[in-house]
Amino acid sequence: LTEASGAPPWVVALTTGGGVIAADADCRLVEINPLARQLLGLDESAIGQRCSVALAAWPELRALCHD
């Protein structure tokens, strides 16, 4: 995920329907809201994983990862 200029050291990626995931500057997931967990089939164990690993089943989202 790419950090926007002037943004905090994490990035928020929005998925369809209001699901939100947030990653830190090292592309590790730091937050996944309940709707994103449901939509993506993720649970608490995804927190701390690299985006490319946690989102491996979602090629469109994985393509946004730069880790």
Side-chain angles (χ1 to χ4, degrees), residues 25-56:
D26 294 322
C27 283
R28 292 188 182 275
L29 295 182
V30 294
E31 184 64 48
I32 310 168
N33 78 350
L35 183 56
R37 287 183 193 152
Q38 179 182 0
L39 290 171
L40 300 173
L42 299 174
D43 60 27
E44 288 290 325
S45 67
I47 300 294
Q49 289 184 3
R50 292 206 170 271
C51 294
S52 59
V53 173
L55 302 174

